[in-house]
Amino acid sequence: MILLGVDLGDRRVGFAVTDEAELLAVPSGFAKVSNLAEAVDAVRGKAEAESAGLVVLGNPINMDGRPGPKAREAAAFADMLREEGLEVELWDERLTTSEATRLLRAAGHDRKRRTTLIDANAAQRLLESFVQARRRRG
């Protein structure tokens, strides 16, 4: 099944997708949004375009493991996506953006270029983590 990873931000939504066998997760762009309704439309459109069977939505829980305001927003967003008929699973996204930033810096991308790549790369890190955990569970 194709999985769609989603990194929800205030201004951009980053995407990543897997192949059918869930062996490889790759960045798949981002959408600029100004509100949650636009973000829902962007995710629904991307899920349809990629024929994704599951949306893996980043869950920005605090480093101490407790949900904060952003985690509550992500849960509400997941519910909005479910109302659109999408299957959604929230997944811990702690450190995905910082890891993506580190890797893009190491690859030599300047700040401007990193800005256009960061959200999709964070979604890729999130999706890779989800797929690895899913394999371990069997």
Side-chain angles (χ1 to χ4, degrees):
M1 165 179 19
I2 295 173
L3 309 178
L4 176 66
V6 176
D7 180 53
L8 178 66
D10 293 329
R11 295 181 307 244
R12 288 185 307 271
V13 179
F15 300 112
V17 294
T18 65
D19 59 331
E20 277 281 342
E22 300 176 22
L23 296 174
L24 183 64
V26 296
S28 188
F30 68 93
K32 289 184 179 181
V33 298
S34 58
N35 57 54
L36 286 179
E38 287 181 7
V40 167
D41 289 343
V43 173
R44 185 184 62 239
K46 189 68 166 179
E48 289 172 2
E50 299 289 351
S51 301
L54 176 66
V55 173
V56 180
L57 176 63
N59 189 11
I61 58 178
N62 294 328
M63 290 304 288
D64 64 5
R66 291 185 293 178
K70 288 293 186 182
R72 287 187 285 279
E73 184 179 309
F77 186 69
D79 288 340
M80 294 169 73
L81 293 173
R82 290 180 186 112
E83 289 172 9
E84 295 290 319
L86 297 171
E87 185 178 341
V88 180
E89 186 158 342
L90 285 163
W91 190 252
D92 185 355
E93 70 168 19
R94 283 181 281 185
L95 302 177
T96 56
T97 299
S98 59
E99 176 68 11
T101 300
R102 185 187 67 73
L103 291 171
L104 291 169
R105 256 192 214 127
H109 294 294
D110 63 23
R111 183 181 176 99
K112 184 176 181 177
R113 182 68 175 140
R114 283 194 311 265
T115 300
T116 65
L117 298 173
I118 193 69
D119 300 296
N121 278 268
Q124 178 188 17
R125 304 281 160 253
L126 160 79
L127 197 51
E128 287 172 339
S129 170
F130 177 82
V131 167
Q132 288 170 1
R134 192 163 152 139
R135 280 189 203 132
R136 285 191 298 267
R137 286 183 285 194

